[in-house]
Each structure stands twice: as structure tokens, then as C-alpha cells.
Amino acid sequence: MSRCVIDDTLPLFATIDASKIVGGHIEYQIKVQRGQRTEENWTVSRRYTDFAALDNDLKVSGFSLTFPPKKAFGNMSREFIAERMQKLQVFLHEVLANWILANSLSTKQLLCDEGYSENFQEQALQHISMLLRSEPTWEVVEPLGTIGSRIRKTYCLVKNKSIQKTRYMLTWCSAGPYASIEDKERITLVKSLENLQHANLLPVHYSACSAAGAMVIRPYMEGGSLRDMMYKVKPKTGYLKKCGNHKSVGHLALADIKKFGRQILEVIKYMTDKGFPMGHVHLGNVFIEDGNVRISDIENFILGVPPAYRTFATYHRKCNTLEALNAYSFGHLLYQMKYGCILHHSSYEALPGPCAPELESILFQLLTFESLKSGIPSIEDLLNLPFFAEVTVPTIPKPVVKIPSKLKECLRNTKSMFEETLKEEQRVVAQIRKRNKVQAYHMTDEEKRKRKQSQKKSIAEDPTRSSLTEYDI
């Protein structure tokens, strides 16, 4: 199985710890770590122009960043180099603290020497071309570039040669780091998407799979995703621009939040009950047609693609199953539907604005650290809340989801492996948090004073004991 072994959703931590003059230019040494595991780290050398290129690429987002200006003269003095290094560190911190900017391809390319140098769209078009050779009905009309958040996902407008005027959306997604289903079963599962029938799922007109990934063709939604509608942008707009710092963002009415939320929960529960894991519902793959929800991209789990909020879930040990992750992700989706912006952290301390009490209670259960420590409501629990249960939704035709028993077993095994990996990472995060808490405690002034008094008392009782250590002074 050919797959990407890099989890693009894992956060990068970067520290500029040295600089040197090379060939008349200053190179900054950046220590980088991916995720919480200290063993996955490396050092890259970058010049000021590399940082400037990143700043230029991110300008389209509209987020305000503190980037040090260029200086033509006197830029080789020791004092200036030290000052600029500090300012570049502040700039890096601002970028990496922003969920959207931190996950951009430009940021990954600055901080990683491996894994991000390929032309992902060109590679995707090659795979698409290979898969369409056996299906001449479809033809690529227009590659759409980076309109989504995933670096290794490519979008194209295509047409069916027998229906010239209608356009469809083709997505190509590379197999991800959690792909564990064998090629034969994966190809069959992806092909079975064509037979899925559910009023709240976008239908699949054609699907094909290779060892490298999968291609799926669905209707092209002219209005874009729910995210596009709320941000008031065209669906073809680049991701950084469409999800950036907008002056005007739409907010859904409470009635719409109830209705759309109920329909999303119904889809998640139905598919989960039928043995098809979800985990990938977010504002970017929810569409609205005739006032009702249509969900896309359910093939992501089959391909081993990391869910958008998986990394956030590692900070909450009770969120250790795919079902819990679905509920947690739904909390983020509710937050965005209410406030029109992404929550850049795994939980919130205070809401950014007023909120109806019943919705505020749900957000508190799903997205506050204190509540998540004791557990997270199930999808069924959420559906039974009056906020969603009292909503009248249209009657839908009976869904059709047929998955052979052997393939259901593959999905169950993949789900179990995913959950074990998630739990292991949660244990690592918990250990790091505990260690950092202990270190912070030992560095407090009160603790230092107590330790000094204790050591002085020990020395008085036993004069042969050595004097205070350097750490205690």
C-alpha cells in the first residue's frame, strides 16, 4: 500500500536557537518538532528571505502578523542579528498559534525539508488521468487548486461527456498515515460508495481507487460548502483567503443551527450504526441543498486520512473513541455555525459573544476543558436533547447502505487501530503535561523558598551535607 506516512494535522513546534553568517547572508537555525513526541525533531536553516516569502504567502489570509521589516544597511551587527532573531521567533509563534496558518503548505515548507517539496496537484492529476483511462465518460474541465484545508487533497471540475453542460466535483485524496485496509478491500469499499443512498449525503456518481489514493465524483454545489456560504466566498476561492480574517462573516440563525445540527447528528448515528465510521464532519464538507444538509467526503476514513480535530482530541483523554471524536468534532462545528470563526484551541475558556442558554449548555459540554475531563456526550445523547429533539425535519426516503460483512470487519479493525493510536498519543500528552506542571511548580518562588529553608535545616542538622546547589540559589 502506497501512503503518506506524515500526519499533516500534527502541530509543529519551532524555536530559532542560533544564527550564523554564510556567504554574506545570515542563516537562522530552527529546531522543529512534530507533535508531542520529542524524538520526531530536526533542524532547518533558513534565511530572512525565506521568512519573508512565508509572510507574503500568508498575507492573502488577512490575519495580522508581526513581521520584522527588511533593513538594507547595518544588518550584520551582532545586536541587530539578535534583535531580528527574536522578532522572527515572535512571527513564527503567531503563525503556529493560528490553526489555519499553521496547517498551510507554505508554513510546512518553511519548517520541513522533507515531505512537502512535491507538486501535489500535478501528482494528483497524474493519478486522476490514470484512473480515468478505464472510464472515458468523464473529462477534467478545470483543476481548482487549494480550495480545501488538506494539503494532499486536490479538487477538479469535471464533466460527463454525455451531459455537456453539467459540472461535477472530482476530489483526489492520497492515502493517509492511518491507512491500514489492504488495497483489494479498500478498492471495493471506495467503489461501494456509488451505491450509498441517503438524503443527507452527497451522492457519488463515480469512484475509483489505487494504491496511492482515491478519486470520487459528486455533484458540484454552486453555492459551495456551508463554510463558503457563511464566509460569503465563492467555492473556487483559495483556502487561505476563504478561511482568513474576514470583516464580514455570516452567522446562522438559531433555527438553522438546530435543524442542520439535527440532520448532521442523524447521519453520523445512522452511518455508525451501519458499521461505517465517520470522524470527518466539519464545516467544509457540509453542504446545504434546498434547505437541507448534504455531507461529503465520507471516504476519508477508508483512506486513513487523519480527522481534522484529531490532534485537538489528544488533549482530552475521555475523547478516546471515534464515537467520542465525532461528538467532539460536532462541538467545533456548532461553535463555527454560531460564531462564524474557527476555534483555534482544543477547548474554550469563554465564548466570544452572547449565546442562547440551551446552545451555550451544549457547547460547554462539548468544548470546555472542565467538562471534557469527565466525559463527552454521545451522538445519541445529543439527539435526545430538546434543542435538537424538538426540531421538525423533513421525512427522508429509506437510506440504502450495504456493506459486506467481510468489509465491515476491515472497518472495525481499522477503527480499533485508530483508537489505540489515539489513546497512546493521549498518554504521551498527559505525561508531558504532568512533567511540565511539576517543573513549573518547582520553579515558583514559594517552592524555591521552601526548598531553601528545608535544605538549610538539613545542613544545620548534618554539617557534613553539601551546601545549596546552583539550582536552589
Side-chain angles (χ1 to χ4, degrees):
M1 181 187 300
S2 174
R3 64 187 177 94
C4 168
V5 296
I6 299 174
D7 184 344
D8 298 318
T9 66
L10 287 177
L12 295 178
F13 304 96
T15 304
I16 307 173
D17 70 340
S19 61
K20 60 181 179 180
I21 299 175
V22 179
H25 299 284
I26 304 167
E27 288 191 355
Y28 299 93
Q29 308 299 308
I30 312 172
K31 284 189 174 180
V32 187
Q33 178 180 314
R34 178 182 285 116
Q36 301 291 343
R37 297 179 182 275
T38 55
E39 61 268 21
E40 193 171 1
N41 66 85
W42 60 90
T43 299
V44 295
S45 295
R46 297 291 185 262
R47 290 166 50 180
Y48 172 81
T49 53
D50 298 317
F51 288 91
L54 174 62
D55 179 57
N56 187 61
D57 288 347
L58 300 182
K59 275 183 172 28
V60 68
S61 70
F63 289 112
S64 179
L65 297 171
T66 309
F67 187 74
K70 184 176 181 179
K71 185 177 181 181
F73 303 100
N75 57 5
M76 290 293 179
S77 69
R78 182 177 299 176
E79 293 78 11
F80 174 78
I81 293 174
E83 180 183 358
R84 173 174 278 181
M85 192 164 77
Q86 289 179 349
K87 291 181 177 179
L88 289 174
Q89 181 65 62
V90 170
F91 167 73
L92 262 187
H93 175 75
E94 291 175 349
V95 170
L96 296 179
N98 184 301
W99 192 81
I100 295 170
L101 302 183
N103 286 293
S104 71
L105 178 58
S106 297
T107 300
K108 305 286 189 185
Q109 289 174 334
L110 178 81
L111 297 176
C112 307
D113 280 334
E114 297 180 358
Y116 298 96
S117 59
E118 307 97 314
N119 186 325
F120 295 111
Q121 179 166 298
E122 184 177 313
Q123 288 182 353
L125 290 174
Q126 291 174 1
H127 290 300
I128 291 167
S129 177
M130 291 290 291
L131 290 173
L132 287 182
R133 285 182 183 179
S134 59
E135 185 58 42
T137 305
W138 299 96
E139 180 182 330
V140 174
V141 175
E142 178 188 0
L144 297 181
T146 54
I147 65 171
S149 62
R150 296 194 183 275
I151 292 172
R152 303 172 201 275
K153 194 160 198 169
T154 298
Y155 301 80
C156 298
L157 279 184
V158 297
K159 67 179 180 181
N160 186 317
K161 293 178 182 178
S162 62
I163 314 174
Q164 288 291 328
K165 292 185 179 180
T166 304
R167 295 293 178 263
Y168 300 85
M169 176 67 82
L170 180 154
T171 59
W172 163 267
C173 187
S174 299
Y178 305 107
S180 60
I181 301 174
E182 293 299 323
D183 289 349
K184 182 180 177 181
E185 286 76 19
R186 187 153 52 96
I187 289 169
T188 305
L189 276 167
V190 169
K191 197 65 183 173
S192 71
L193 297 177
E194 297 177 22
N195 300 319
L196 268 177
Q197 296 176 33
H198 193 295
N200 296 121
L201 290 176
L202 269 182
V204 173
H205 294 292
Y206 181 74
S207 56
C209 189
S210 69
M215 174 188 77
V216 181
I217 297 176
R218 293 183 171 92
Y220 174 59
M221 307 297 284
E222 295 283 351
S225 66
L226 183 55
R227 178 176 61 201
D228 297 333
M229 294 169 60
M230 291 184 64
Y231 290 5
K232 301 176 182 178
V233 296
K234 296 179 180 179
K236 295 182 183 181
T237 304
Y239 177 73
L240 277 179
K241 185 174 182 179
K242 74 166 62 175
C243 291
N245 189 22
H246 295 281
K247 294 180 180 178
S248 176
V249 177
H251 301 268
L252 293 186
L254 191 64
D256 287 334
I257 295 176
K258 289 182 177 183
K259 179 182 177 181
F260 298 159
R262 164 80 180 269
Q263 291 181 325
I264 291 166
L265 290 170
E266 292 280 10
V267 173
I268 295 174
K269 184 177 186 306
Y270 181 84
M271 295 299 289
T272 301
D273 289 347
K274 289 295 181 179
F276 196 105
M278 298 289 280
H280 289 268
V281 177
H282 56 79
L283 212 60
N285 60 25
V286 174
F287 297 82
I288 306 301
E289 184 178 39
D290 298 329
N292 294 299
V293 160
R294 307 298 293 272
I295 293 175
S296 181
D297 292 11
I298 63 171
E299 66 274 11
N300 285 356
F301 183 84
I302 299 172
L303 296 172
V305 175
Y309 298 109
R310 179 186 178 282
T311 296
F312 281 170
T314 61
Y315 294 95
H316 306 287
R317 296 192 74 171
K318 294 289 185 178
C319 189
N320 57 10
T321 65
L322 196 60
E323 287 80 4
L325 181 59
N326 279 326
Y328 176 68
S329 301
F330 180 74
H332 279 270
L333 190 148
L334 274 184
Y335 182 96
Q336 292 177 58
M337 287 198 289
K338 169 58 184 171
Y339 294 107
C341 60
I342 288 174
L343 178 60
H344 291 279
H345 306 283
S346 71
S347 59
Y348 71 83
E349 294 183 358
L351 292 173
C355 185
E358 47 191 346
L359 177 57
E360 183 177 0
S361 173
I362 298 171
L363 291 173
F364 179 85
Q365 293 178 64
L366 296 173
L367 293 177
T368 60
F369 185 76
E370 290 303 317
S371 180
L372 288 167
K373 281 199 301 186
S374 58
I376 190 165
S378 68
I379 295 297
E380 188 168 2
D381 290 337
L382 293 170
L383 277 168
N384 289 329
L385 292 174
F387 186 80
F388 297 115
E390 295 173 357
V391 178
T392 301
V393 294
T395 303
I396 64 173
K398 185 178 179 180
V400 176
V401 178
K402 295 180 180 179
I403 305 172
S405 299
K406 183 179 178 182
L407 296 182
K408 282 187 178 181
E409 184 64 26
C410 289
L411 290 172
R412 280 195 294 270
N413 292 338
T414 301
K415 176 177 175 290
S416 296
M417 292 172 64
F418 173 85
E419 290 174 345
E420 283 305 311
T421 304
L422 176 61
K423 291 173 185 176
E424 176 57 32
E425 291 189 15
Q426 288 173 333
R427 283 192 286 268
V428 171
V429 171
Q431 289 169 359
I432 292 172
R433 275 184 162 176
K434 185 176 180 179
R435 184 173 68 240
N436 290 344
K437 189 175 181 180
V438 170
Q439 290 175 346
Y441 174 74
H442 284 302
M443 291 305 293
T444 61
D445 292 339
E446 178 65 19
E447 177 61 15
K448 283 183 179 180
R449 184 182 64 79
K450 289 179 180 178
R451 292 180 63 201
K452 284 181 181 179
Q453 290 178 344
S454 176
Q455 244 178 353
K456 285 179 180 179
K457 183 179 179 180
S458 298
I459 292 171
E461 294 173 350
D462 181 7
T464 62
R465 188 178 183 275
S466 60
S467 59
L468 296 177
T469 64
E470 182 180 351
Y471 178 83
D472 294 311
I473 297 173

